[in-house]
Amino acid sequence: MTRSTGRPPQPYRWPLSSFGGGAPARLGTLAEGPARSRPGYLPELVECTGKVLARSHAADLCFVGRSLDTMYDLLTGVLEGADRPGGLRRLPLSLRGAHTLGPVGRDRLRTHLAEAGLEPYALARRKRPLALVDVVSAGSTFDAIHGELSAWIAESREPWAVIRRKLRYVGVTIRGRSSPHQWRWQQSPESVRWVRTLPAGHVVNVSMHWRTWSWFGNEQPKLHRSFPPSRWFEPDAARARHHETLPQALAEARAVVAAGRTRETRRDLVRAMAAEPGFADREVRALAAAIRVP
């Protein structure tokens, strides 16, 4: 059985909430960017987040890349003080070019996966399901992650029959027609093969208006640089970096965390969860109850 060892360097991200037992960073003048007290996309973000929670059946969430860092920030504010097992995780990788990884690159990818709780040994023994969440266009990132996980699980001889019940994928997509004939990323030849190996309902989508989706996926200032395979071995990858859009990114992130702490946001989030068929699930109702209204 192969076990991953060592902790790979990952981009530094300023802690903005006490969720998980830490303390928010003291940012001083770093967060003096021109952020709105309530970003205009907040209602749609809250609705989308509620659907992600319900459709994942209240699984622990692992956010892939940087695109949905704002959803992560919202939930750190919402879940402050919540009596809830598990937590939120991040896998801050860009997998652009991952198809050309050699043995050394694949080993480093596995150490990153292990850091996010995706080591086969850990997956087979976790009590709660884990859902990977990312903005999705063609699904290539999920394809790459699941392909590597499948190979690793086979090599480690951990029980796939157990792991398949613990693993979920949630794609945040551009809103289109709701017709059953509408093409979806999981119907591509690359994705359909592995999607069919998971139980029904373990690969789901939540849609956003294209403007909001594009803001998070393509345009929004981020707290750290993209982290593609070409940077995975940089000795200073984990060093805090200042850049010209950092103040704006920090100010916006802090505003979202603060919004997550409010009574209004938590109420709207629970309402979005309650409107989903998945709210019938006991775990989803328990999560809704754990979101304490201040």
Side-chain angles (χ1 to χ4, degrees), residues 95-96 98 136-146 185 188 190-191:
L95 291 177
R96 185 175 301 170
V136 175
S137 176
S140 59
T141 295
F142 283 167
D143 290 344
I145 290 174
H146 195 87
W185 66 268
S188 71
E190 293 78 10
S191 301

Side-chain angles (χ1 to χ4, degrees), residues 12 48 55 60 68 75 92 94 98 112 114 123 135 137 142 145 151 168 180 210 231 248 263-265 269 281 285:
Y12 178 79
C48 182
R55 295 182 191 181
D60 294 339
L68 289 178
L75 284 171
S94 166
H112 284 298
L123 283 173
V135 296
S137 176
F142 283 167
I145 290 174
R168 298 173 180 269
W210 71 267
R231 295 191 54 228
Q248 180 183 350
R263 177 187 299 269
E264 178 184 3
T265 295
L269 182 65
D281 187 278
R285 295 197 307 273

Side-chain angles (χ1 to χ4, degrees), residues 138-175:
S140 59
T141 295
F142 283 167
D143 290 344
I145 290 174
H146 195 87
E148 191 58 42
L149 280 177
S150 296
W152 197 5
I153 291 165
E155 293 170 20
S156 65
R157 299 185 180 180
E158 294 294 342
W160 171 242
V162 174
I163 293 174
R164 70 190 290 268
R165 298 197 300 268
K166 309 288 182 68
L167 193 58
R168 298 173 180 269
Y169 293 85
V170 183
V172 176
T173 61
I174 296 174
R175 184 165 299 138

Side-chain angles (χ1 to χ4, degrees), residues 2-3 18 28 38 80 83 108 151 174 195 198 211 214 221 245 260 268 285:
T2 302
R3 297 288 304 277
S18 61
R38 278 182 63 88
E80 277 189 351
D83 182 13
R108 177 50 58 94
I174 296 174
V195 169
L198 295 171
R211 289 192 184 91
S214 183
T245 59
D268 291 345
R285 295 197 307 273

Side-chain angles (χ1 to χ4, degrees), residues 209-239:
H209 190 280
W210 71 267
R211 289 192 184 91
T212 310
W213 186 95
S214 183
W215 173 251
F216 292 139
N218 302 318
E219 303 160 19
Q220 183 185 39
K222 303 296 184 181
L223 296 186
H224 61 82
R225 289 193 297 163
S226 180
F227 196 50
S230 60
R231 295 191 54 228
W232 291 354
F233 293 92
E234 290 183 357
D236 62 345
R239 182 170 61 86

Side-chain angles (χ1 to χ4, degrees), residues 8-12 90-93 111-113 115-116 227 237-239:
Q10 295 182 344
Y12 178 79
R90 295 180 67 251
L91 180 64
L93 309 182
T111 59
H112 284 298
L113 293 173
E115 182 71 10
F227 196 50
R239 182 170 61 86

Side-chain angles (χ1 to χ4, degrees), residues 31-191:
E32 291 182 347
R36 294 158 288 181
S37 58
R38 278 182 63 88
Y41 56 69
L42 187 63
E44 185 173 8
L45 175 66
V46 170
E47 181 181 9
C48 182
T49 304
K51 291 178 179 180
V52 167
L53 294 174
R55 295 182 191 181
S56 69
H57 292 268
D60 294 339
L61 302 181
C62 177
F63 291 92
V64 180
R66 306 177 301 164
S67 296
L68 289 178
D69 276 355
T70 303
M71 185 178 292
Y72 172 87
D73 289 333
L74 179 74
L75 284 171
T76 62
V78 166
L79 294 172
E80 277 189 351
D83 182 13
R84 178 180 187 259
L88 307 174
R89 298 172 180 264
R90 295 180 67 251
L91 180 64
L93 309 182
S94 166
L95 291 177
R96 185 175 301 170
H99 62 283
T100 62
L101 289 177
V104 176
R106 289 186 65 194
D107 184 66
R108 177 50 58 94
L109 173 57
R110 290 183 180 187
T111 59
H112 284 298
L113 293 173
E115 182 71 10
L118 290 161
E119 182 184 17
Y121 181 89
L123 283 173
R125 289 156 181 80
R126 70 174 7 260
K127 295 180 179 179
R128 295 173 47 79
L130 180 64
L132 284 82
V133 189
D134 192 14
V135 296
V136 175
S137 176
S140 59
T141 295
F142 283 167
D143 290 344
I145 290 174
H146 195 87
E148 191 58 42
L149 280 177
S150 296
W152 197 5
I153 291 165
E155 293 170 20
S156 65
R157 299 185 180 180
E158 294 294 342
W160 171 242
V162 174
I163 293 174
R164 70 190 290 268
R165 298 197 300 268
K166 309 288 182 68
L167 193 58
R168 298 173 180 269
Y169 293 85
V170 183
V172 176
T173 61
I174 296 174
R175 184 165 299 138
R177 294 178 299 174
S178 58
S179 167
H181 303 293
Q182 175 75 10
W183 185 88
R184 292 170 174 81
W185 66 268
Q186 61 266 46
Q187 296 170 321
S188 71
E190 293 78 10
S191 301

